[in-house]
Amino acid sequence: MLGAPGAGKGTQAERVARERRVPRISTGEILREAVSQGNELGKAARAVMDAGRLVADEKMIDVIRERLRQPDAAGGYVLDGFPRTVRQAEALDGLVDGAGSLIVVDIEVPEETLVRRLSTRMICGTCGTLARPTDKVCGKCGGALVQRTDDSDDVVRERLQVYARDTQPIVEFYRVRPTFRSVDGDQTAEAVAADIAAALASVTGGRS
Ligand code: AMP
């Protein structure tokens, strides 16, 4: 699942994963958990994430290689936040080689919508779940809502620039493939979900 920060990747990836009963693999979540555990990966990633930059490709490729080896990923998965560079996309092709083809869905959203969404989004300070705009506390665990440290105005600006420079090129990398689909993400989450379901059906011929 591709898209700029704030495009709705996480929300949509979660929904597709639930419907297809496969894990959603979010590299951002893996990193945030590593930061909160204070392990080696977290220590290396923290400052980079707080600055809105990208963690080194080799590190991220190791993380994904390891995660895709877990038994729950054997029947498929939804990737959210990986790949983010052409180097990562090439490595992913190597990792899935022979394990079925990737379906790539790009969620397109205009920049002014991204900025508005990111500056107002809240997550649970306890479990990290993304809150709905109307939530006062976490819908999952009741925890207090906080802003992601990398959703502050200056870091958002940096993340959008990094996206345009390093991640947008992978849309072109995938666009030429028959399994690539682009959907309009500037709609309600339900409308985007319906478009994604139609896009997936058009790739798989209705098979799930
Ligand atoms: P996300 O939750 O997907 O917005 O990711 C949060 C932050 O984690 C990003 O701004 C990056 O600093 C880092 N990150 C997540 N995924 C990757 C990746 N595939 N490559 C490099 N950095 C990543």
Side-chain angles (χ1 to χ4, degrees):
M1 192 83 70
L2 302 181
K9 279 193 308 294
T11 304
Q12 299 299 336
E14 184 75 56
R15 189 186 294 237
V16 173
R18 200 171 51 232
E19 282 166 2
R20 307 218 160 205
R21 297 198 174 81
V22 294
R24 161 183 169 245
I25 299 178
S26 156
T27 41
E29 246 164 47
I30 292 171
L31 292 172
R32 279 187 290 280
E33 199 160 314
V35 168
S36 73
Q37 285 172 0
N39 63 24
E40 212 155 298
L41 175 67
K43 281 187 205 146
R46 181 175 201 147
V48 180
M49 293 172 78
D50 281 348
R53 308 236 169 81
L54 294 183
V55 175
D57 284 338
E58 294 315 314
K59 214 161 253 145
M60 296 314 300
I61 292 164
D62 285 349
V63 165
I64 280 293
R65 184 184 297 112
E66 199 46 47
R67 181 63 187 85
L68 297 188
R69 275 200 199 124
Q70 303 304 311
D72 67 334
Y77 41 81
V78 183
L79 289 178
D80 166 12
F82 187 96
R84 258 181 158 95
T85 64
V86 171
R87 170 85 191 85
Q88 292 181 13
E90 287 168 348
L92 181 61
D93 277 342
L95 291 175
V96 301
D97 191 29
S101 53
L102 289 173
I103 301 173
V104 183
V105 176
D106 180 40
I107 307 178
E108 282 189 36
V109 174
E111 182 157 329
E112 60 275 18
T113 305
L114 298 173
V115 172
R116 178 167 38 80
R117 286 187 187 170
L118 292 169
S119 62
T120 56
R121 82 172 167 187
M122 303 290 276
I123 62 165
C124 174
T126 308
C127 74
T129 298
L130 180 68
R132 286 163 305 196
T134 50
D135 287 347
K136 295 276 179 277
V137 294
C138 176
K140 198 166 170 187
C141 78
L145 303 181
V146 296
Q147 190 178 45
R148 260 172 61 168
T149 51
D150 60 352
D151 277 348
S152 62
D153 284 355
D154 47 340
V155 180
V156 161
R157 232 170 293 135
E158 175 69 17
R159 288 166 65 211
L160 292 175
Q161 275 175 20
V162 167
Y163 175 79
R165 189 186 62 219
D166 297 329
T167 307
Q168 186 73 41
I170 68 179
V171 177
E172 305 319 315
F173 175 87
Y174 285 127
R175 198 183 293 280
V176 294
R177 298 190 182 183
T179 53
F180 175 89
R181 295 290 183 277
S182 168
V183 300
D184 174 10
D186 198 9
Q187 325 177 60
T188 63
E190 285 65 33
V192 177
D195 284 0
I196 290 175
L200 294 177
S202 78
V203 173
T204 61
R207 285 171 290 113
S208 62

